[in-house]
Amino acid sequence: APRVEAPAGSFRHRAGPKQKTVTVAATDTRRTDAMDHFSESTVTQTGAGEPGWSTGARYRLEWSGPVTATQTVRFVIAPPWLVRVLRIAMAALLAFLIVRLARGEWPKPPSIARATAGVATCVLALAAASPARAQAFPPEELLTQLRTALVEPPACAPDCASLARVDVSARGDEVHVALEAHAAATVAFPLPDSAGSLAMRSATLDGAALDAFARDQGVLHVALARGVHRIELVYAATQDKVALRFPARPMRIGFAGDGWQASGIGDSHLLTETLSLARSLGAGASGAAASGQQFAPFVRVERDITLGLDWGVSTVVRRLAPNDGGFTVSVPTLAGEHVSTADVRTEGSNVIAAIADGVPNAQWSSTLDKGETLTLTAPALTDRAEVWRVIASPIWHVEANGVPVSADTSDDKTDYRRFEFDPLPGETLTLRIARPPAAEGATRAIDHAVLVLGAGQRASEAVLTLTIRASRGGEHAITLPGDAEVTHVARDAEALNLRPRDGKLSLPLVPGQQTFEVRFREPEGAAFVTRTPAVALGMPAANVDLGIDLPADRWLLATGGPTEGPAVLYWSELVVMLLVAYALARTRRTTLTLTQWILLAVGFSTFSWIALGVVVAWLFALDWRERGPMPSSAAWFDVAQVALAALTLIALVCLAAAIPQGLLGTPDMHVAGHGSQPQSLRWFADLSADALPEASAVSVPLWVYKIAMLAWALWLANAVVGWLRRGFAAWTKGGYWRAVRRKPVVDAPAATAPLP
């Protein structure tokens, strides 16, 4: 079985009589980046596919005021079975309300409070013009070109001069420096810099006195013509410790001193760019006794041990004392350590670390032989101080004993483990290192699977799309239906010549993510129950999408499959409509029987519920006209007659539209769920074990629906004739129009004159 590398766990170390586990996060990201988790031959886990839900509701919770750490939030979520029960109860209550309303038991309308509020906003935009600037002349580009032409370096730059040899001699208060410089062109050659610890007495160039110098960044330069030159410098020592920094590093260096000692020289080579001189013990300025005692340099050695596929050590020697000056120290290497950094001087199993003046540390890298144990011993405090750090890849398990761990409180999200030890003098640390056996795990995962069946009249074509993530190459077999005929196979839109054997199709996998598309044909077309093909993927899959595309000449009746999928809402709506038909029949407000109400509801159910409501309102309006009483006012009587005639015309239009829609159109089965349509059904499953879930669609030929609608149309035509005959009789009952009579105008009597 394929195996993968498992995390090594935590480190352990003994601290006194008890044993505890300490896990310290790695903070040196540069070092962990250079370490490899696994080798090229290691097989890594892919894990399983993760479902990507995109359905459901999202709720946002907000709190006003402070929230303490002890407060909790509890969610109460209704299970699916309770949701279904509540929905059935709501439908039943709605039907009960409709029955009560049909019987005339109207509730009193509640009073509605009205409130108004106004919000006004205004936006102010300000624009500021940028000030104009005059262009300087000459342009900066021209000045740059002229400056470049003037200071253009020679062809040998930057290596036009070199320092072949330096001879340094010191006696008493005088330090003599002789330099042999080679110049390939006229250059400014840098002289040694003493940082104020030496005072120059004289300088000569090829035997002639030097009196002209140039200073650049605090360093004196002298002009040299092309050729070989000898520069002699005489200094007066003003301190017991002096340092000469050579900007141009000499190829060879020699020292002769009387009462002086030099550090930073090895095999006639300057180890760093600084040469440090110190008076010998007992010798002082002008032959007097030294005013201060000289101590050996003291450093701290930091060893970073990395345990990855390859083991290594990075050593840093940090200056502790003295604060200035250059010196060299001898640092022993670990058992099995091999220095790999160039220009690092070694003597046997020791490294000669040279720290130049003004430089805080020296460092080098090494390789380390692998082993089951690694032992480190802290030296005496008089030699140096040491700090040990261990960074281990997850493939290693490390147990540390002998020295307590210094915890690192840094927050690191990586899976590397890190130890840090600050040993006391003489303490010994023992690291036991083991590689745990590899854990079994999956090397491939299906992140997305799509199976869409296009059902035809005599045959069906299915398209299977798989998004597979693999950590290694190989073949993966999937099982197709036995009678399937594979017509096309592609990987990442690249056609593959593959054919199934014994119902199994082998897909060639490559490391990484890839998408396969498999098209196959089945001899069976759309039937009463159309199901998606039985496909076994041979492994779990996530985000499974199923689909069935029905022909346009099929009448969809029901669906089945995963929970997240389409539902035919027509049947539940029809049940509610039948209850409404029963309630309408019980009102006895019209001459329609229960059977006629049911037939009327069934005929309009696949067309439009709104059109059915208009017809029902028209029938009740005719019954109201027949039963009376009519308005006593002639004006209101005429208005009612006109309204009834208009409603009759609208109802006839709805009835006339229902017949051709039923005979020529397609029924509206009110399909909803997961973006499905009557002829395009889609399902979703978050996970599948091996075989893909099955989805189905129940359908019959469309001519069955058309025959049923033809019979309904014949019944409706006969029923409408009777409804119109009775409706016209009701409309003309008591007269179909009343003339509006005006009140007579009576002239006022003429006024008589008063008697005298």
Side-chain angles (χ1 to χ4, degrees):
R3 288 179 174 269
V4 300
E5 301 296 345
S10 58
F11 297 116
R12 297 180 181 275
H13 77 94
R14 296 186 180 275
K18 295 184 180 181
Q19 183 173 351
K20 65 179 181 179
T21 301
V22 178
T23 301
V24 183
T27 58
D28 193 350
T29 57
R30 294 175 300 178
R31 190 161 303 282
T32 55
D33 290 343
M35 298 171 60
D36 295 328
H37 272 287
F38 313 112
S39 64
E40 296 180 355
S41 60
T42 302
V43 180
T44 58
Q45 291 184 1
T46 58
E50 297 183 359
W53 284 98
S54 59
T55 59
R58 177 176 296 180
Y59 301 93
R60 180 175 179 178
L61 307 180
E62 296 182 358
W63 285 266
S64 177
V67 179
T68 63
T70 58
Q71 287 181 294
T72 59
V73 178
R74 182 171 177 264
F75 297 95
V76 179
I77 303 176
W81 64 267
L82 180 58
V83 175
R84 296 189 183 97
V85 171
L86 292 177
R87 289 178 177 175
I88 294 175
M90 288 190 295
L93 291 176
L94 179 60
F96 174 75
L97 177 61
I98 293 175
V99 172
R100 294 289 300 273
L101 295 177
R103 290 181 177 179
E105 301 177 2
W106 299 87
K108 296 181 180 180
S111 60
I112 302 176
R114 298 181 179 179
T116 60
V119 177
T121 59
C122 56
V123 178
L124 178 62
L126 298 178
S130 59
R133 296 181 179 178
Q135 183 178 5
F137 187 84
E140 186 64 26
E141 296 180 359
L142 179 58
L143 294 177
T144 303
Q145 294 176 1
L146 295 175
R147 187 183 302 108
T148 303
L150 290 175
V151 298
E152 183 178 0
C156 59
D159 301 323
C160 292
S162 62
L163 186 56
R165 182 177 179 82
V166 174
D167 292 313
V168 181
S169 61
R171 183 177 182 180
D173 293 338
E174 185 177 277
V175 177
H176 184 272
V177 180
L179 301 89
E180 181 181 335
H182 295 197
T186 301
V187 295
F189 188 79
L191 298 179
D193 180 26
S194 62
S197 60
L198 294 174
M200 184 180 294
R201 289 181 175 176
S202 63
T204 60
L205 173 60
D206 297 334
L210 270 175
D211 55 0
F213 300 95
R215 185 177 296 274
D216 184 14
Q217 298 181 355
V219 178
L220 294 178
H221 289 71
V222 60
L224 295 182
R226 186 175 182 272
V228 179
H229 304 274
R230 179 177 179 83
I231 305 173
E232 295 185 3
L233 306 174
V234 179
Y235 297 94
T238 59
Q239 301 178 9
D240 292 339
K241 287 184 179 181
V242 297
L244 282 174
R245 186 177 67 87
F246 293 86
R249 193 166 182 176
M251 298 180 183
R252 299 187 66 84
I253 189 171
F255 173 76
D258 184 5
W260 290 82
Q261 294 180 348
S263 60
I265 300 178
D267 294 337
S268 299
H269 289 83
L270 189 62
L271 300 179
T272 63
E273 64 178 10
T274 303
L275 173 65
S276 298
L277 303 178
R279 294 183 189 272
S280 302
L281 296 178
S286 302
S291 59
Q293 186 179 4
Q294 301 293 329
F295 296 94
F298 189 74
V299 296
R300 181 177 65 203
V301 179
E302 299 177 0
R303 305 180 191 266
D304 289 340
I305 304 173
T306 56
L307 306 179
L309 290 178
D310 298 322
W311 291 8
V313 182
S314 178
T315 306
V316 179
V317 180
R318 299 191 183 277
R319 171 200 300 266
L320 296 182
N323 291 331
D324 51 10
F327 57 85
T328 58
V329 292
S330 179
V331 179
T333 59
L334 301 179
E337 180 182 356
H338 308 282
V339 178
S340 58
T341 302
D343 299 333
V344 175
R345 182 186 171 193
T346 59
E347 292 181 357
S349 60
N350 295 338
V351 174
I352 306 302
I355 301 180
D357 184 26
V359 178
N361 57 60
Q363 57 185 359
W364 64 88
S365 299
S366 309
T367 60
L368 187 64
D369 295 337
K370 296 180 181 179
E372 296 182 355
T373 59
L374 181 62
T375 303
L376 297 91
T377 302
L381 188 60
T382 56
D383 295 339
R384 63 188 177 276
E386 291 208 5
V387 176
W388 305 325
R389 302 185 184 94
V390 179
I391 304 176
S393 174
I395 63 177
W396 298 105
H397 177 77
V398 179
E399 292 185 356
N401 295 283
V403 179
V405 175
S406 300
D408 192 344
T409 58
S410 61
D411 185 12
D412 192 1
K413 304 298 183 181
T414 64
D415 52 358
Y416 292 93
R417 299 294 182 264
R418 176 180 174 179
F419 264 160
E420 183 171 343
F421 304 92
D422 293 300
L424 297 178
E427 287 189 331
T428 300
L429 171 67
T430 302
L431 299 176
R432 292 182 175 88
I433 307 170
R435 187 166 184 171
E440 296 184 358
T443 60
R444 58 193 64 170
I446 299 179
D447 295 326
H448 193 195
V450 182
L451 177 60
V452 179
L453 175 66
Q457 294 183 353
R458 296 179 177 82
S460 301
E461 185 177 13
V463 179
L464 175 64
T465 305
L466 300 176
T467 301
I468 303 179
R469 188 164 33 88
S471 61
R472 63 184 305 182
E475 291 189 354
H476 179 73
I478 62 175
T479 304
L480 301 177
D483 55 354
E485 177 187 357
V486 177
T487 60
H488 177 73
V489 179
R491 179 183 62 196
D492 294 334
E494 180 182 357
L496 301 176
N497 188 13
L498 301 177
R499 290 295 181 267
R501 293 183 179 180
D502 300 330
K504 293 187 177 181
L505 181 65
S506 295
L507 303 177
L509 302 180
V510 295
Q513 183 172 326
Q514 55 235 283
T515 300
F516 287 91
E517 180 180 317
V518 181
R519 294 179 179 269
F520 58 92
R521 186 176 299 164
E522 290 186 309
E524 297 180 356
F528 179 71
V529 180
T530 304
R531 295 182 174 88
T532 54
V535 177
L537 302 180
M539 59 185 299
N543 304 313
V544 179
D545 286 315
L546 303 176
I548 297 179
D549 294 334
L550 294 175
D553 59 349
R554 302 294 296 184
W555 180 19
L556 179 65
L557 300 179
T559 61
T563 304
E564 182 65 24
V568 180
L569 304 180
Y570 168 79
W571 303 110
S572 58
E573 295 177 359
L574 183 60
V575 170
V576 175
M577 193 62 234
L578 293 179
L579 295 177
V580 173
Y582 174 77
L584 294 177
R586 291 292 302 272
T587 59
R588 303 183 185 278
R589 298 292 298 180
T590 64
T591 58
L592 273 69
T593 63
L594 176 61
T595 303
Q596 291 176 327
W597 278 116
I598 292 176
L599 290 176
L600 185 63
V602 170
F604 274 90
S605 60
T606 58
F607 172 50
S608 173
W609 295 117
I610 297 177
L612 177 60
V614 173
V615 175
V616 171
W618 173 62
L619 293 175
F620 272 86
L622 292 180
D623 180 77
W624 168 78
R625 178 66 177 84
E626 182 180 6
R627 294 173 182 268
M630 294 296 293
S632 58
S633 172
W636 284 109
F637 178 84
D638 295 340
V639 170
Q641 289 291 92
V642 173
L644 186 57
L647 182 60
T648 302
L649 181 60
I650 297 175
L652 291 178
V653 171
C654 294
L655 292 171
I659 296 176
Q661 176 65 25
L663 296 177
L664 303 178
T666 57
D668 185 6
M669 301 301 291
H670 304 280
V671 178
H674 201 62
S676 299
Q677 298 178 1
Q679 260 60 46
S680 181
L681 308 174
R682 295 294 182 267
W683 291 265
F684 175 80
D686 54 351
L687 294 171
S688 68
D690 181 6
L692 292 180
E694 185 181 84
S696 60
V698 179
S699 64
V700 295
L702 192 59
W703 58 263
V704 176
Y705 169 76
K706 294 185 180 300
I707 290 178
M709 289 303 300
L710 178 60
W712 178 81
L714 295 176
W715 167 83
L716 181 63
N718 183 49
V720 168
V721 173
W723 297 343
L724 288 176
R725 184 184 302 111
R726 183 169 181 176
F728 184 77
W731 188 69
T732 58
K733 182 180 179 181
Y736 61 87
W737 191 261
R738 294 180 184 177
V740 179
R741 297 180 181 180
R742 297 181 179 180
K743 294 182 179 180
V745 178
V746 180
D747 295 336
T752 58
L755 295 175

